[in-house]
Amino acid sequence: MSKIEQAKQNKKSKKRNRFIFRTSILIVLFGALLFAVVSNLTAEEDAVVEVGDQAPDFQLEQIATDDSSTIQLSDLRGKGVMLNFWGTWCKPCEKEMPYMEQLYPEYKEKGVEILAVNLDSTKLPVQNFVDQYNLTFPILYDEHTEVLDTYGIKPIPTTYFIDENGIVVERVLGGLTVEKLQGYLDQIVPEGS
């Protein structure tokens, strides 16, 4: 085989490999896009905990704040509870966290607790995130995704608004603006507060 033929053969081989590589990437991207679309479309149908249901009880460890105790949801009976599922990698979560921190002192005084259930695989990025945004509300760590599975969470952020009797009043998929957040929190302020 002459050098010219060998160079042509090598060029042809590189072209074929490049085509296979690019096609593989496109297939993976298309699969991820399809998965995201289907997950979002079916998230409402697959909800395990719906509006009107009793919120399933759980107990999780607090992390990334001064208090490292555990919190059990049923211990908060008599208070409104905003239960937010989030991760540090989630951009809509990052955007709504300052709104939650902004409203937390006012609604805590009115008898509403904000619980943010983190889904990161390690605690270090959570600590950095909490320090960056000076978060003071309880951050709970769902290390084995038990609470995530119990509530059937698919897209994050997902937020439940639970009244003083432990009943789910609202379930919100996706990020919240400060105005929407305030509106939902008003719905779970305990009577007489």
Side-chain angles (χ1 to χ4, degrees):
M1 185 182 296
S2 73
K3 286 187 175 184
I4 294 174
E5 287 175 353
Q6 192 173 8
K8 282 182 180 178
Q9 192 68 22
N10 284 343
K11 189 175 179 181
K12 196 175 182 179
S13 177
K14 281 183 180 178
K15 235 179 175 178
R16 188 183 68 232
N17 289 341
R18 204 174 341 177
F19 174 76
I20 291 170
F21 180 72
R22 288 178 179 165
T23 303
S24 299
I25 288 176
L26 284 174
I27 289 170
V28 169
L29 289 175
F30 180 73
L33 178 66
L34 186 64
F35 175 77
V37 169
V38 170
S39 291
N40 280 332
L41 290 175
T42 61
E44 194 65 37
E45 297 166 8
D46 294 343
V48 175
V49 181
E50 309 243 4
V51 171
D53 289 350
Q54 184 78 37
D57 195 20
F58 62 84
Q59 183 173 3
L60 288 174
E61 171 195 6
Q62 276 193 81
I63 61 166
T65 56
D66 293 339
D67 191 349
S68 61
S69 61
T70 60
I71 289 185
Q72 185 153 1
L73 182 63
S74 59
D75 289 345
L76 299 174
R77 194 65 50 89
K79 292 183 172 184
V81 176
M82 173 186 167
L83 182 61
N84 176 263
F85 292 87
W86 70 288
T88 58
W89 70 91
C90 161
K91 288 298 174 191
C93 304
E94 186 176 358
K95 192 174 177 184
E96 71 182 4
M97 283 287 172
Y99 305 146
M100 292 161 58
E101 181 58 35
Q102 178 186 333
L103 297 174
Y104 181 56
E106 174 189 344
Y107 282 91
K108 185 173 178 63
E109 199 164 295
K110 292 179 178 177
V112 174
E113 190 60 68
I114 293 177
L115 303 178
V117 178
N118 179 267
L119 306 171
D120 281 49
S121 57
T122 61
K123 296 177 183 176
L124 183 60
V126 184
Q127 182 65 58
N128 293 336
F129 188 95
V130 168
D131 290 345
Q132 180 183 351
Y133 290 100
N134 296 316
L135 303 178
T136 58
F137 50 82
I139 306 293
L140 306 178
Y141 192 54
D142 191 13
E143 184 174 9
H144 303 293
T145 68
E146 291 167 7
V147 179
L148 176 92
D149 295 339
T150 299
Y151 278 76
I153 303 300
K154 283 203 175 167
I156 61 167
T158 292
T159 306
Y160 285 88
F161 293 89
I162 302 166
D163 73 9
E164 64 200 82
N165 301 311
I167 305 297
V168 174
V169 173
E170 290 287 347
R171 176 175 175 260
V172 180
L173 306 177
L176 290 161
T177 62
V178 70
E179 294 81 14
K180 286 184 178 177
L181 181 56
Q182 195 163 16
Y184 289 125
L185 289 171
D186 283 338
Q187 292 182 40
I188 57 171
V189 171
E191 286 185 27
S193 294

